[in-house]
Amino acid sequence: QVQLVESGGGLVQPGGSLRLACAASGNIFRVHGMDWYRQAPGKQRELVATISSGQGTNYADSIKGRFTISRDNAKNTVYLQMNSLKPEDTAVYYCHVFAAASGENSRSYWGQGIQVTVSS
């Protein structure tokens, strides 16, 4: 089994910054892709950013130029640096990884979700 623990959310004013972190733990053999999703009230869950094991990245158009995804493979941790935050960024943010525990096939794992609120 692989466990994901998210941290770094909270309340911030428009134009402010936050950095989310998602740490994977357990008997990890291999971590492949790592992603951030978000879901605002009344809306569908959307993909925000992805990063491959080779650190190739992709971003949603709505956040491109403002958010940066990165990973530390030694710590099995993925980050989302969020700058120039807007009220429309308010959502629950979810970490997702595709990983294999020792002796197991690769599968999807989800974090618990963490609230980001952008408001004056």
Side-chain angles (χ1 to χ4, degrees):
Q1 270 289 319
V2 175
Q3 298 82 42
L4 304 180
V5 178
E6 301 177 15
S7 61
L11 174 65
V12 66
Q13 294 182 355
S17 297
L18 286 173
R19 189 171 82 147
L20 305 183
C22 173
S25 62
N27 292 324
I28 298 169
F29 175 72
R30 188 75 172 268
V31 177
H32 305 284
M34 307 182 83
D35 319 298
W36 287 98
Y37 289 75
R38 69 185 182 187
Q39 188 166 24
K43 309 199 81 174
Q44 298 277 86
R45 186 173 297 187
E46 65 174 342
L47 180 63
V48 176
T50 68
I51 185 165
S52 71
S53 60
Q55 302 203 8
T57 59
N58 284 290
Y59 297 95
D61 288 342
S62 60
I63 59 88
K64 197 171 294 181
R66 299 188 296 120
F67 293 8
T68 303
I69 189 170
S70 62
R71 63 192 285 172
D72 184 336
N73 290 331
K75 296 180 178 179
N76 289 317
T77 300
V78 61
Y79 304 92
L80 187 68
Q81 178 67 48
M82 303 183 293
N83 299 324
S84 302
L85 282 161
K86 304 174 181 180
E88 52 262 45
D89 296 318
T90 296
V92 176
Y93 284 71
Y94 296 90
C95 175
H96 168 265
V97 306
F98 192 68
S102 295
E104 305 290 336
N105 293 325
S106 297
R107 53 158 286 193
S108 289
Y109 294 90
W110 288 93
Q112 79 279 8
I114 190 163
Q115 180 70 47
V116 171
T117 302
V118 185
S119 177
S120 299

